[in-house]
Amino acid sequence: MGIPGGQSPFFHVKPRVKQHWLVIAVSLAAYLVDNSVLAQSASGLDPSSHPVDQASKRRKASDRAEKLRIGLATSPRAPAPAPNPGAPFEKRARADRATQTRTQKRVDPFARYDNLREKGVWFNIPGAVDTIDQDKGGLRSALADVGIGYIGWTHNSFANNLLPNAARSTIANQLYMGQNPTFASANFMIVTYDLSRLGVSEGQIVLGAEQQHWTWDRPGPDRVGLNTLAYYQTFFDKTLELKLGYLRNQNEFTGTLFGGITGSNMSALFQGGMSTNAAPTPAVNLKYNFDRGLYNKASVQRSISPDGPYVQVTENPTGLNWSTPHAGILLIDEAGYKSKAAPGVPDTWLRAGVGFNTSRYTSLTDPKRRRESGNNFHYIAADRQFWQNAPDGTPSRGIYAASPSWKLRRT
């Protein structure tokens, strides 16, 4: 048995028993200590090796350790750990990049309310982010959690003819808005319920109320009543859209908001029987969406009074009556192309429509004649965006040009 250091073991047994056992104990202790040191120096090597010569064992252990160090230093797969003074900066940079990525993917907190806007109308109802209250107090989010959305707005106008020779008149004899100082106010509240929670594809129930006031009674009159009560649903992956109930088709067809309030307007279509915000009527609308923005939309609507919106509101101020005297059925069909604004893609809307009304109208040439049916109208309109203010932010903002044209004919 070898002893490290090249020394050979020497046992000298003396006749005395105590010395004999002392020598054996010292030799055994030295052997155990040397083996422990050797095992620690060769840590990580093959533990099954058991060389005879201790010096040879030390040399082999040293050679293997050296080869191991060289292999670790030259292997690209397992680089030796070494202190890196730039590590804290690299970790910080990675953390900043991760934070930036999370910020870019952050969801718009108001996007959850988009599906709660009224569906089927041609204009974009302002979203929650564009309202005054937004989600103050958590009311909007609490209602959205149970599928309810809402929007309220007020529309106010004032007109006055400032020309020096403007003819004034009494209120009873006023002929147009602004002939005398004229103020008008219309206030709406619309509530929606999301039926997709119940498995109805894109389904929605819409309930709205309207209040209006005019200082000149003729365009009015004052009223508080129903604005809309509608059911909406899509079929075949939004290819077909159905909307029925008490509708105001001025927001479903043609594409203008003026509606006889001020200046040049679509009052000819109202004379043709189309329902308005102040005069909703029972209707069924069906829209078929072709590829590439082409569509066709048809409606079977109970006409408003053939004597005009004023008589309609006077005879049915709440809007809940099924019909008014002399009112018939209005059939509308509109075909068009619509492409919403996107970054670098301008908003475009081209449409043309026709309407046929079975209501019994008074003859314009001879008011004493018996009422007759057979009123119809047609229209063509185009809207085109020519410049985008913020293509990457809100591409719908910009400069537009519009060219509406409609014609009413009584037979």
Side-chain angles (χ1 to χ4, degrees):
M1 183 167 302
I3 302 268
Q7 297 180 1
S8 298
F10 177 76
F11 299 95
H12 181 68
V13 182
K14 296 217 181 208
R16 303 175 73 176
V17 178
K18 291 183 179 180
Q19 291 181 355
H20 172 75
W21 288 108
L22 180 60
V23 171
I24 292 176
V26 171
S27 300
L28 183 58
Y31 169 74
L32 293 176
V33 171
D34 291 342
N35 272 311
S36 176
V37 173
L38 181 60
Q40 291 179 2
S41 64
S43 177
L45 301 179
D46 186 6
S48 63
S49 61
H50 191 68
V52 178
D53 183 55
Q54 288 292 345
S56 175
K57 185 174 180 180
R58 292 178 59 189
R59 285 194 300 270
K60 291 181 179 180
S62 177
D63 292 342
R64 291 186 181 181
E66 185 65 23
K67 290 180 179 179
L68 182 60
R69 284 194 298 269
I70 294 174
L72 293 174
T74 58
S75 175
R77 298 180 184 176
N84 184 2
F89 298 96
E90 293 177 359
K91 291 181 179 179
R92 190 181 309 157
R94 287 195 296 269
D96 292 342
R97 286 194 296 270
T99 303
Q100 184 178 4
T101 302
R102 286 194 298 269
T103 303
Q104 292 175 352
K105 295 181 180 180
R106 187 174 299 162
V107 178
D108 181 3
F110 293 97
R112 60 178 300 207
Y113 308 118
D114 289 344
N115 193 49
L116 298 175
R117 302 186 194 185
E118 182 183 358
K119 299 177 180 180
V121 294
W122 59 262
F123 66 98
N124 291 325
I125 296 177
V129 68
D130 295 318
T131 60
I132 296 175
D133 60 319
Q134 294 188 347
D135 192 24
K136 292 181 174 62
L139 175 62
R140 191 182 297 273
S141 58
L143 292 175
D145 290 340
V146 294
I148 298 176
Y150 72 91
I151 185 170
W153 76 90
T154 178
H155 181 90
N156 302 278
S157 62
F158 177 80
N160 187 25
N161 193 336
L162 298 179
L163 295 177
N165 298 322
R168 301 297 178 182
S169 69
T170 64
I171 294 178
N173 297 324
Q174 185 173 343
L175 300 178
Y176 60 89
M177 289 189 66
Q179 184 178 11
N180 295 324
T182 308
F183 173 76
S185 177
N187 304 283
F188 305 87
M189 173 59 73
I190 293 180
V191 179
T192 65
Y193 180 73
D194 180 17
L195 289 175
S196 64
R197 302 163 58 91
L198 305 179
V200 181
S201 176
E202 294 289 322
Q204 188 180 73
I205 292 177
V206 188
L207 175 62
E210 187 243 16
Q211 179 269 333
Q212 67 178 25
H213 169 71
W214 301 75
T215 56
W216 177 36
D217 188 62
R218 190 63 192 173
D222 295 354
R223 76 176 287 261
V224 177
L226 185 71
N227 174 257
T228 185
L229 176 58
Y231 173 89
Y232 174 88
Q233 182 181 353
T234 65
F235 303 90
F236 313 117
D237 193 22
K238 301 183 182 180
T239 300
L240 199 62
E241 299 179 52
L242 170 68
K243 194 171 185 179
L244 56 88
Y246 281 82
L247 308 181
R248 63 265 199 255
N249 270 337
Q250 76 169 95
N251 297 332
E252 303 275 343
F253 291 86
T254 70
T256 178
L257 282 175
F258 293 109
I261 295 178
T262 57
S264 176
N265 52 62
M266 57 182 293
S267 59
L269 301 183
F270 297 157
Q271 294 175 14
M274 185 173 288
S275 54
T276 72
N277 282 305
T281 61
V284 178
N285 294 352
L286 196 63
K287 181 181 180 183
Y288 188 88
N289 298 299
F290 300 92
D291 292 336
R292 300 181 181 179
L294 297 174
Y295 70 90
N296 189 85
K297 188 172 184 177
S299 176
V300 179
Q301 176 209 309
R302 171 64 74 178
S303 172
I304 66 172
S305 173
D307 297 323
Y310 179 85
V311 176
Q312 171 72 25
V313 175
T314 302
E315 296 180 346
N316 186 14
T318 63
L320 295 173
N321 296 343
W322 176 259
S323 182
T324 53
H326 311 297
I329 300 297
L330 173 63
L331 303 177
I332 310 172
D333 188 82
E334 178 180 291
Y337 166 80
K338 191 170 187 178
S339 176
K340 293 184 178 180
V345 180
D347 187 290
T348 304
W349 189 14
L350 310 174
R351 65 271 192 202
V354 296
F356 179 80
N357 199 329
T358 65
S359 298
R360 298 185 302 276
Y361 284 84
T362 301
S363 173
L364 296 178
T365 57
D366 186 3
K368 295 182 180 180
R369 287 174 52 186
R370 187 180 63 177
R371 289 175 175 265
E372 297 180 356
S373 62
N375 192 14
N376 60 70
F377 61 83
H378 59 268
Y379 61 88
I380 299 175
D383 295 318
R384 174 71 174 183
Q385 184 183 29
F386 288 96
W387 179 72
Q388 294 181 335
N389 182 36
D392 297 329
T394 308
S396 59
R397 295 180 178 177
I399 297 178
Y400 288 77
S403 177
S405 174
W406 39 78
K407 183 177 181 180
L408 175 69
R409 183 174 68 89
R410 291 185 181 180
T411 58

